[in-house]
Amino acid sequence: MLTSNLINSSSAPQALASGDQLASREPAAHHRSDGGFQNTAVNLTENSGMGAILMRYLTETRVDASPSKAIPLMPLTRDGIAALPDSQDSVIRLGHSSILLKISCQTWLIDPVFSNRASPFSFIGPKRFHQPPIALEQLPEIDGVLISHDHYDHLDEESIKRFHHKVRRFIVPLGVEQHLFRWGVTRDKVQSLDWWQSVTLGELNITATPTQHFSGRGLWDKNQTLWASYVIQSDKSKLFFSGDSGYFDGFKAIGERFGPFDLTMIETGAYDKDWPSIHMTPEQSLQAHLDLGGRQMMPIHNGTFDLAFHSWYESLERIAALAADANTPLVTPVVGQILDIHNAPESVAWWRELVDLPKLALAQ
């Protein structure tokens, strides 16, 4: 059975479960006086207003906004996940920013989104290009779920409602726990973390770290919950999951404190000139990976939903070229492909099978 040990702190955001300990390392400069949250980086480029962005969606001609052929998948099963060797730390990309980890003999999900749309509505909003490689009903017992922030493409109400009964623990940024409570998750299963706070669960240590983003699921709740990235450390591996973020000096601070990393899972997609401070271009994504001291980079936040004006494959194509030029090992698995973090197979540009592009070698 999974047990937890957290290091106690007077700045703990909530009452802790019996036996838990919580570690806090930083003052709360990102806390607003009205109870909300803010980014701490200075001189941010202002993002365009919703009206200007909506006008572009209505008037701009889109090119390859979605794939014309089926995105390749490697189907997963409960038995296949259970059969992964305990000696191996494994990562499986489920699509967009959803990740399944088998690490330190534990099974974790990160930002699990299984719904057909990343939207508050079932009939409108960004629709999946592909189905998840495993059905919700096929998921094994889950030791933990990490949530980076409350946007619909990262926190999926329907998914949480359907599988929370088989999850032992949820780790979320401050305030996100209130969503889970409304959806039926019991309080004893949920631990909310501020930036730089850590939780240790068996041989696994997880630290919430800063990002440069925002939150909100409606018109009146902007920045009322926190957003975060995560450092995930086992006895064999050290991983970084970016969540959503613009580029900022926080990546270098995280790298100095926790790096180097065996694998960084970095947002690489849904960028645009109208929101430059909250999402990264591929050039910035690569720089974030380098700032972190990453060995291998897995680009995430792409290939599943249409969330920006660029083509569905542009972010993958650009990061592949950039990584090759920088001699940076790039990991671009097919959705559902099981990767050994320390012995990843050679990546292939799977998106090229769906579009007519010039030949490009990936960095290995």
Side-chain angles (χ1 to χ4, degrees):
M1 177 177 289
L2 181 67
T3 59
S4 65
N5 288 301
L6 310 166
I7 300 173
N8 237 336
S9 166
S10 59
S11 63
Q14 63 180 60
L16 301 178
S18 175
D20 285 353
Q21 301 173 331
L22 188 66
S24 180
R25 303 183 178 92
E26 287 287 308
H30 51 288
H31 289 243
R32 295 197 320 237
S33 59
D34 65 358
F37 300 94
Q38 62 190 358
N39 291 303
T40 55
V42 296
N43 298 323
L44 296 184
T45 303
E46 286 297 323
N47 302 305
S48 298
M50 186 57 66
I53 295 171
L54 179 59
M55 182 59 66
R56 287 183 63 195
Y57 272 108
L58 293 175
T59 60
E60 275 194 23
T61 300
R62 306 289 305 283
V63 177
D64 293 337
S66 60
S68 59
K69 302 176 184 177
I71 283 183
L73 299 177
M74 291 188 178
L76 289 169
T77 64
R78 180 187 296 115
D79 290 344
I81 295 169
L84 290 172
D86 290 341
S87 59
Q88 174 180 307
D89 282 351
S90 302
V91 59
I92 306 169
R93 191 172 177 215
L94 304 181
H96 195 57
S97 295
S98 299
I99 302 289
L100 189 148
L101 293 177
K102 191 74 176 288
I103 186 167
S104 286
C105 303
Q106 300 178 31
T107 303
W108 282 73
L109 287 172
I110 308 178
D111 286 359
V113 175
F114 286 79
S115 290
N116 201 37
R117 294 185 185 273
S119 168
F121 309 106
S122 62
F123 57 90
I124 194 171
K127 188 176 181 179
R128 304 184 71 95
F129 300 157
H130 62 84
Q131 289 305 304
I134 186 170
L136 272 173
E137 294 72 23
Q138 269 287 309
L139 285 174
E141 293 295 312
I142 302 296
D143 293 300
V145 171
L146 284 177
I147 301 295
S148 65
H149 63 296
D150 70 0
H151 287 161
Y152 288 91
D153 57 324
H154 296 262
L155 178 61
D156 180 20
E157 177 180 356
E158 183 63 23
S159 295
I160 299 296
K161 285 181 174 178
R162 289 177 58 190
F163 78 83
H164 73 79
H165 62 280
K166 62 173 65 178
V167 178
R168 294 177 179 175
R169 180 179 289 268
F170 291 83
I171 306 295
V172 302
L174 291 179
V176 175
E177 70 276 4
Q178 298 302 324
H179 296 303
L180 303 187
F181 297 156
R182 287 196 300 273
W183 301 339
V185 182
T186 58
R187 291 177 180 267
D188 62 302
K189 285 188 174 185
V190 183
Q191 177 65 58
S192 59
L193 298 180
D194 202 347
W195 291 347
W196 306 115
Q197 289 184 328
S198 302
V199 59
T200 298
L201 301 150
E203 300 299 319
L204 194 65
N205 181 268
I206 296 170
T207 302
T209 45
T211 66
Q212 182 175 283
H213 201 54
F214 70 107
S215 67
R217 293 174 69 84
L219 296 176
W220 316 113
D221 64 341
K222 184 175 181 179
N223 296 344
Q224 292 304 299
T225 66
L226 188 59
W227 45 98
S229 55
Y230 289 101
V231 173
I232 305 162
Q233 301 176 80
S234 74
D235 57 347
K236 295 186 289 291
S237 308
K238 191 182 295 183
L239 314 179
F240 177 78
F241 178 83
S242 72
D244 281 2
S245 184
Y247 179 76
F248 73 132
D249 60 7
F251 293 116
K252 191 169 184 63
I254 295 166
E256 290 172 348
R257 182 171 296 188
F258 293 102
F261 293 93
D262 298 296
L263 177 70
T264 67
M265 295 168 277
I266 302 286
E267 175 217 280
T268 315
Y271 46 85
D272 191 84
K273 63 183 179 65
D274 271 342
W275 50 86
S277 66
I278 56 173
H279 287 293
M280 291 185 283
T281 64
E283 291 80 5
Q284 292 171 326
S285 298
L286 177 61
Q287 187 60 55
H289 167 80
L290 298 174
D291 290 351
L292 290 158
R295 181 172 65 87
Q296 304 172 102
M297 175 184 174
M298 178 188 291
I300 59 172
H301 205 256
N302 55 62
T304 302
F305 297 110
D306 174 22
L307 299 173
F309 293 95
H310 57 71
S311 68
W312 72 268
Y313 54 82
E314 180 188 292
S315 58
L316 289 165
E317 188 70 5
R318 283 174 62 178
I319 194 62
L322 290 162
D325 288 345
N327 198 28
T328 296
L330 195 68
V331 181
T332 56
V334 171
V335 171
Q337 183 178 356
I338 299 170
L339 297 181
D340 179 343
I341 290 168
H342 295 282
N343 190 27
E346 182 176 350
S347 288
V348 295
W350 55 264
W351 60 93
R352 290 175 162 273
E353 300 175 6
L354 282 65
V355 291
D356 184 20
L357 294 170
K359 187 176 181 181
L360 175 69
L362 295 187
Q364 292 296 329

